[in-house]
Structure formats: structure tokens, C-alpha cells
Amino acid sequence: MQFNLMERTFINSEVLRHGKQLSVCYLLVIFFGFLGLHRFYLEEKTTAFIQLFMTLTGLLTLFFLVGYLILMLVALWLIIDAFWILGKVEAYNHHLEDTLKAFVSKQRKDDAIH
């Protein structure tokens, strides 16, 4: 479907306002990755809570040496996340854009009916 200039401007501005930025996500991984803040930022709350829980559990069990294994698993997870972040940010923004396009199309149909 073709969108006019005003509709495209609306879609682009909303993606810029509500979309996720790759640089912010990478900064969150680098500085707060063990807390899962990059996943909270991408609205992946379940896995964010899992990362946070694993980190806290690892820190609390360092005395028993089990914590080192847990923290190493979280570190490995963060390394993998660092490679997948680009795709996750693009997928989030693409989904947002598709949702906005559907909204604009629905508005256009509703205006045509009235």
C-alpha cells in the first residue's frame, strides 16, 4: 500500500520517537548487561528477569564457588547478545513500523467510510 507524504512522515516520526536505538542498547550491554537492562530496554522482560536473577544468584553464591559458574554463563549469554543486538533492535523497530502502517491503513479506511 502506498502512503502519502503526511502518512509517511507520521510513521517515520513515531518510529524515531518510540523505536529503539542501537547505540543505547550497546551501552546498556557494556555497562549494565549483567543486570539485563538491555533486555528491559528491548521490552524482553522475561529474559531480562532471568538474567537479573542469574546474576544476583551468582553473586550470592560466590562463596560456595557455584556463583562463578552462574556468572560465567551470564557472561557467555552477554557475548552472544552483543552479536544479536543489531537484529533484535531492527526487528523491534520493524515491528513498530508495521504496526503503525496497519494503524494508518485502518484510519484511512475508517475515514473513507465516513
Side-chain angles (χ1 to χ4, degrees):
M1 169 175 275
Q2 295 293 325
F3 296 101
N4 62 37
L5 180 60
M6 193 166 93
E7 292 167 339
R8 285 190 311 235
T9 303
F10 168 75
I11 291 168
N12 290 338
S13 67
E14 289 301 303
V15 169
L16 285 174
R17 276 182 53 201
H18 299 289
K20 303 302 179 185
Q21 295 180 14
L22 184 61
S23 58
V24 171
C25 202
Y26 271 117
L27 287 173
L28 288 172
V29 165
I30 291 168
F31 294 109
F32 303 105
F34 277 95
L35 301 175
L37 292 185
H38 62 290
R39 289 189 170 265
F40 281 113
Y41 178 69
L42 292 172
E43 298 180 12
E44 297 177 349
K45 291 183 173 102
T46 303
T47 54
F49 278 117
I50 292 170
Q51 273 187 340
L52 180 60
F53 177 75
M54 285 178 68
T55 298
L56 294 176
T57 303
L59 290 173
L60 292 173
T61 58
L62 277 176
F63 181 72
F64 303 109
L65 302 179
V66 174
Y68 290 105
L69 177 63
I70 295 171
L71 291 176
M72 286 180 5
L73 289 173
V74 175
L76 178 63
W77 192 356
L78 291 176
I79 292 169
I80 293 168
D81 273 356
F83 289 102
W84 287 356
I85 282 177
L86 175 62
K88 289 179 182 286
V89 170
E90 286 179 349
Y92 181 92
N93 290 339
H94 185 69
H95 176 69
L96 177 62
E97 184 178 357
D98 288 345
T99 302
L100 289 166
K101 285 179 180 179
F103 173 76
V104 168
S105 296
K106 184 180 181 313
Q107 289 296 108
R108 184 188 286 178
K109 288 178 186 175
D110 289 348
D111 289 344
I113 292 173
H114 297 282

